[in-house]
Every structure is written in C-alpha cells, then in structure tokens.
C-alpha cells in the first residue's frame, strides 16, 4: 500500500496482482451519504440563493436610497400613531377606534409628498362627507318607522351606485378614485352599522378624529422629513428623457443596442409622466415650483419627445439597411446631414437645460434659426441630386456633360436605387427637425405659464428667428 499527495490531498493506492495500483476509495454507509448530500445541498443551493437574494435586496436600496428613506418614515409614522394605543389618557380620548389611526397611516402613506397628500385629502373629505350623509340617512330611516330597513337599503344602493360609476369617469378617476372607494366604505359602515349601534354620532366622531390624527402625522412626516417631491421627479424625468434622446445621436452605428435602450426610456415614459403629473398637482409650493405650476405641460412635452423618439427609431432602421449606399451618395449628403444633426442636438441640449434650471434660454431663437437653415440646405441638396433615367445613351451623355459644365464635376449621375435609402434617411432627418420644433414650442409654453426667469447670459442672435418651412420637397 502506498500513499501519494496531489494538489494538497492525500490519496491512498493498493497494489494488485497484475502489478498495477488502484485508488483506495473510502466507503460510506447510507446515513453518511445522506448527510453528505444534505450538506452539499444546503451549502451550494440554499446558501447561494440566500446570498444572491441579499445582494439583490442591498442593490435595490443602494441604487435608490429614497426607498430606504420611505421605509424609515413609514416605521416612524406607525411608531408615533401607536402611542394613542399604548398611553391610557390618549386611548381614553379616542376610545376603541384608535386602531383606525394605525390603519390610516398604513393605507395613505406613500413615497412622494403628492401621493400622500392626495390620499390624505381624499380620505378625510370622503370620510366627513360619507359620515355626514350616513348620519342623515340614519335619522331619516328612524323617522320612517317600519320602512327603516327599506330606506337604509335604498340609500346604500343609490350612493354606492353613484360613487362606483364616478370611478369610470377619467377626469374624476385620475384624482379622486381613492376618495370614491373610501366614501363607499364609510357610508356603508355608518348607515348600516347605525341600525345596531345606539350612539352612532359618537362612533362617527371618534373615527373621524382618529383618521384626522393619522393623516396629520403622515403629512407632517412626509413634508418635513426628507421630502420626496413628485413634481421634482417629473421635472427630472422629462429633462433626462430629452438628454437621453440627443445623447443617442453622438454614438456610432455599432452601438445599436445601447442606442435602443437609451431612447426606449422616452417611449416608455408616458404612464410614469401622467401619474407624476396627477400627484404633483396635490403638492404645495416647493423649490422653484409654485402652487399652481403647469404640471400637465410636462405631459405635453413628453408626448412631443415620444414623437421624436419614434422618428429616431426609424432612423436607426435606415442606418441598418442591408444595401449600403455608395460613397458618392454619402459624400453628396454627408455634410448637410451632419450639420442638421448637430444643430438638432444643440437645441435638445438647450431644452434640457431650460427644464432643469427652470429658466428661459437666451440663445434658443438663434439655435432654432440655425436648425431651420440646415433643413433648408439639406432640402436644396436633395433637389440637386443628378439621378440617372432610362434615356438613350446619347441623351445620357449630353445630360452628363451639361451637368458637369454647370457644377464643375462636383457630382456624378446616380441611379434611383442608390439614392433612395439615403433620401429616406434625409426625409426622416427633416421630419425629426419639424418635431423638435414642436418640442421647442411646448417648452416655450411651459416657460411662459410657469414664469421662468430670463437667462442672465447675453442673448445671441438678436431678433427672433423666423420659422422656415420644414416640409419635404418631392
């Protein structure tokens, strides 16, 4: 028997009759094999999964610390409102309905100030309105004698039907959907519960007071402790969408997937923008945003940016055509296309700065004039393309000579199939410029409605630039 040490492990071998050696493998019993299998399973599967889950949980908080702050604020609010349950004097003041204050904090506390304000106002107004109507219906029912049950049932049906139907109205649903649901719940509890409760008014008063306590604690904490404003998030979202859009123009064609990921944030931002705009309307004045700030204008700007992003998507498709345009076609359109692309990017950068700093631009008129001039140059370049036709050879030679005499051999006759892919790209660039012009108008309207201050920099370009037609000439 011999031993051999290899890679830090001791291996035992035995000699057999034919002169060779065999590895001596230890034998394990059934219980030992089960133990080893369980040990491997726990270490390799369960421990790895737990570690991976913990890394993902940590990454969520590290990527967005506002989520951690929101969790801390919810815990603080619940701890404060629980005092009404622990301390006897406070508990006696609100009675057994102290639990309603805890429930209120759980259901109304949201991550942003606007969302919390929206739910708090909806809950308080719906509770007071439904409680008042419930007490009134209870009084009418008690005065009706034997028809008390019928009056109560009919009133519950009527108000529940009306409140539920209102939730299907888009303008009402966007702002008061939660309030309608609370109205149905409170009215049903008060009107139906009053049939078996003697002191209905005292019960309604206690529940209203506990809800007011819960909403007050939520508002104070969400406003004064690390506030997260939906309006500021909406402003940053629209500004970042504009920034991401023009950043795609400075990248190479080989980075198509990264470009697609960048401008898809613009295409997928509609729902987030509308939700934030609805929540921002509930927020008080903060920072550079007044009380009646035109938040819906940000939704309009986002819509114009999505139209630009759709055009950019088509541009990416054009650049990936299997049939590559000849060098002479690229040389003919290259300078004009680069000029238009550069001027468009400058405008979008300036728009992003306007939204970020909430200030009017001193050079926007000049940049728009520069872009429109580039569009006009590109249209003229498109008109001067010498395209070959199916004329006889003699006429072709004469046309070529005449073109060479006029233009000094700057261009060569091109076939329609060679020009068509580039002409499509040129048309999309011109259309994109027109859509950027619409975005400029939307941002200017926001600046006027929100009373943006004029930029202190010296204005470039003097008078306001005249708009040049952006239509494609065929």
């Amino acid at each position: 028997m011999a031993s051999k040490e290899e890679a830090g492990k001791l291996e035992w071998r035995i000699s057999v009759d034919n002169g060779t050696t065999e590895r001596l493998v230890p034998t394990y019993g059934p219980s030992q094999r089960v133990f080893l299998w369980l040990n491997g399973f726990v270490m390799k599967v369960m421990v790895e999964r737990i570690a991976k889950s913990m890394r993902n949980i940590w990454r969520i908080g590290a990527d967005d610390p506002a989520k951690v702050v929101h969790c801390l604020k919810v815990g603080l609010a619940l701890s404060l409102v629980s005092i009404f349950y622990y301390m006897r004097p406070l508990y006696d003041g609100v009675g057994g309905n102290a639990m309603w204050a805890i429930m209120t904090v759980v259901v109304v506390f949201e991550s942003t100030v606007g969302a919390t304000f929206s739910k708090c106002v909806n809950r308080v107004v719906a509770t007071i309105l439904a409680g008042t109507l419930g007490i009134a219906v209870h009084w009418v029912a008690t005065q009706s004698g034997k028809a008390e049950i019928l009056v109560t049932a009919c009133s519950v049906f009527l108000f529940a039907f009306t409140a539920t139907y209102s939730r299907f109205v888009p303008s009402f649903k966007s702002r008061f959907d939660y309030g309608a649901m609370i109205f149905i719940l409170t009215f049903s509890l008060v009107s139906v519960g009053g049939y078996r409760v003697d002191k209905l008014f005292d019960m309604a008063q206690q529940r209203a007071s506990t809800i007011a306590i819960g909403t007050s604690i939520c508002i104070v904490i969400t406003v004064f402790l690390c506030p997260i404003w939906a309006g500021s998030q909406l402003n940053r979202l629209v500004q970042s969408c504009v920034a991401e859009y023009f950043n795609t123009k400075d990248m190479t064609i080989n980075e198509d997937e990264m470009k697609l990921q960048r401008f898809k944030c613009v295409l997928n931002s509609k729902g987030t923008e509308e939700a934030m705009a609805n929540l921002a309307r509930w927020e008080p004045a903060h920072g550079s945003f007044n009380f009646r700030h035109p938040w819906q204008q940000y939704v309009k700007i986002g819509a114009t940016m999505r139209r630009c992003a759709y055009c950019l998507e088509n541009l990416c498709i054009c650049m990936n055509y299997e049939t590559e345009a000849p060098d002479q076609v690229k040389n003919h359109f290259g300078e004009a296309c680069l000029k238009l692309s550069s001027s468009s990017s400058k405008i979008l950068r300036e728009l992003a700065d306007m939204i970020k700093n909430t200030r009017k631009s001193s050079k926007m008129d000049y940049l728009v004039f520069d872009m429109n001039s580039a569009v006009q140059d590109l249209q003229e370049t498109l008109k001067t393309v010498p395209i070959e036709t199916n004329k006889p050879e003699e006429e072709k030679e004469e046309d070529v000579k005449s073109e060479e005499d006029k233009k000094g051999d700057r261009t060569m006759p091109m076939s329609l199939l060679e020009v068509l892919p580039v002409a499509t790209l040129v048309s999309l660039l011109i259309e994109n410029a027109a859509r950027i012009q619409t975005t400029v108008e939307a941002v200017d309207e926001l600046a006027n409605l929100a009373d943006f201050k004029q930029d202190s920099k010296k204005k470039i370009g003097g008078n306001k630039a005249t708009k040049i037609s952006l239509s494609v000439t065929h």
Side-chain angles (χ1 to χ4, degrees):
M1 181 180 295
S3 64
K4 181 180 179 182
E5 189 172 357
E6 182 180 355
K9 296 182 180 180
L10 188 62
E11 183 181 87
W12 291 91
R13 293 181 175 272
I14 59 174
S15 301
V16 293
D17 296 338
N18 57 5
T20 60
T21 60
E22 292 183 357
R23 181 183 177 187
L24 183 63
V25 180
T27 58
Y28 297 104
S31 59
Q32 290 177 318
R33 287 196 296 269
V34 171
F35 174 78
L36 292 174
W37 181 84
L38 289 175
N39 185 43
F41 176 79
V42 171
M43 295 301 296
K44 293 183 179 179
V45 179
M46 297 185 64
V47 174
E48 289 182 1
R49 289 185 178 180
I50 293 174
K52 184 178 179 181
S53 300
M54 295 301 295
R55 286 194 297 269
N56 292 335
I57 293 172
W58 175 265
R59 191 180 298 112
I60 291 173
D63 294 342
D64 190 1
K67 295 178 180 179
V68 180
V69 174
H70 171 65
C71 297
L72 294 175
K73 291 195 292 184
V74 172
L76 178 60
L78 286 174
S79 299
L80 291 177
V81 79
S82 299
I83 295 176
F84 288 87
Y85 218 82
Y86 298 144
M87 299 182 67
R88 175 59 62 179
L90 297 177
Y91 180 80
D92 294 338
V94 297
N97 294 301
M99 187 59 68
W100 282 84
I102 298 176
M103 293 175 60
T104 299
V105 172
V106 173
V107 298
V108 305
F109 206 112
E110 296 290 340
S111 59
T112 62
V113 177
T116 304
F117 259 87
S118 173
K119 283 197 168 184
C120 287
V121 173
N122 273 274
R123 187 172 182 84
V124 171
V125 173
T127 300
I128 294 174
L129 182 60
T132 304
L133 290 175
I135 293 174
V137 168
H138 174 70
W139 182 84
V140 172
T142 54
Q143 299 297 319
S144 60
K146 295 181 179 180
E148 179 179 359
I149 299 177
L150 180 62
V151 172
T152 303
C154 291
S155 62
V156 170
F157 171 79
L158 178 62
F159 284 106
F161 171 81
T162 304
T164 303
Y165 189 80
S166 66
R167 299 179 67 185
F168 293 102
V169 180
S171 59
F172 186 90
K173 180 179 177 64
S174 62
R175 302 186 69 179
F176 307 110
D177 183 68
Y178 180 72
M181 183 177 61
I182 295 299
F183 176 86
I184 296 171
L185 174 63
T186 305
F187 180 79
S188 301
L189 290 175
V190 173
S191 59
V192 176
Y195 185 74
R196 299 293 183 184
V197 178
D198 295 331
K199 298 181 180 180
L200 179 63
F201 182 78
D202 294 339
M203 181 192 71
Q205 185 181 12
Q206 289 176 352
R207 290 188 179 181
S209 62
T210 53
I211 290 174
I213 291 170
T215 54
S216 300
I217 291 176
C218 291
I219 291 175
V220 170
I221 291 178
T222 192
V223 172
F224 296 103
L225 183 61
C226 300
I228 302 172
W229 302 98
S232 299
Q233 288 185 342
L234 176 61
N235 182 274
R236 288 194 296 268
L237 174 65
V238 176
Q239 183 264 334
S240 64
C241 285
V242 177
E244 290 291 340
Y245 175 79
F246 75 73
N247 280 342
T248 59
K249 294 179 178 295
D250 299 331
M251 302 174 69
T252 61
I253 300 177
N254 295 329
E255 297 171 319
D256 290 329
E257 296 207 0
M258 189 177 294
K259 288 192 292 185
L260 289 172
Q261 292 298 327
R262 280 179 173 269
F263 73 76
K264 275 184 179 179
C265 88
V266 185
L267 300 176
N268 300 330
S269 63
K270 179 180 179 181
T272 306
E273 290 170 0
E274 292 179 349
M276 287 185 177
N278 290 329
L279 296 177
R281 290 188 293 180
W282 293 93
E283 294 179 344
H286 58 280
S288 57
F289 308 111
N290 299 324
F291 178 68
R292 298 186 63 83
H293 193 76
W295 298 113
Q296 288 299 321
Q297 189 63 24
Y298 286 92
V299 179
K300 184 177 179 181
I301 294 173
T304 59
M305 286 306 306
R306 278 188 292 278
R307 295 183 68 244
C308 294
Y310 292 135
C311 193
L312 179 61
E313 186 176 18
N314 292 328
L315 279 171
C316 291
I317 296 174
C318 288
M319 289 188 293
N320 292 328
Y321 277 156
E322 294 183 0
T323 304
E324 187 176 358
D327 292 337
Q328 60 175 350
V329 179
K330 292 181 180 180
N331 294 334
H332 187 79
F333 290 101
E335 183 178 355
C337 290
L338 290 175
K339 181 181 178 182
L340 179 56
S341 178
S342 176
S343 60
S344 300
S345 297
K346 291 178 182 178
I347 289 179
L348 291 171
R349 288 190 180 93
E350 192 67 22
L351 291 177
D353 291 338
M354 284 181 62
I355 298 173
K356 179 181 180 180
N357 302 322
T358 61
R359 286 184 174 273
K360 294 182 179 179
S361 174
S362 59
K363 54 183 179 180
M364 182 57 69
D365 293 335
Y366 170 77
L367 294 176
V368 172
F369 177 79
D370 187 39
M371 183 185 70
N372 291 335
S373 299
V375 169
Q376 195 175 45
D377 293 342
L378 187 56
Q379 289 176 337
E380 294 297 328
T381 304
L382 188 62
K383 293 178 182 178
T384 58
V385 177
I387 301 176
E388 289 182 346
T389 59
N390 293 326
K391 295 179 181 180
E393 292 296 330
E394 296 179 358
E395 295 184 11
K396 283 186 180 181
E397 293 177 0
E398 293 178 0
D399 291 341
V400 171
K401 290 180 180 179
S402 62
E403 290 293 333
E404 291 178 353
D405 293 338
K406 292 180 181 179
K407 302 191 177 184
D409 295 332
R410 287 187 302 169
T411 59
M412 297 175 58
M414 309 172 191
S415 66
L416 184 60
L417 293 177
E418 292 175 340
V419 176
L420 189 58
V422 181
T424 304
L425 186 141
V426 169
S427 301
L428 288 172
L429 283 175
I430 296 174
E431 175 62 24
N432 186 53
R435 297 183 180 187
I436 291 176
Q437 176 75 53
T438 306
T439 306
V440 172
E441 295 172 357
V443 176
D444 285 340
E445 185 178 355
L446 171 65
N448 294 329
L449 293 175
D451 294 328
F452 284 1
K453 294 182 180 179
Q454 185 66 42
D455 195 353
S456 59
K457 297 179 181 179
K458 185 177 179 181
K459 187 172 182 180
I460 302 175
N463 299 328
K464 187 175 181 179
T466 57
K467 296 180 182 178
I468 300 176
S469 174
L470 299 178
S471 59
V472 182
T473 305
H474 297 283

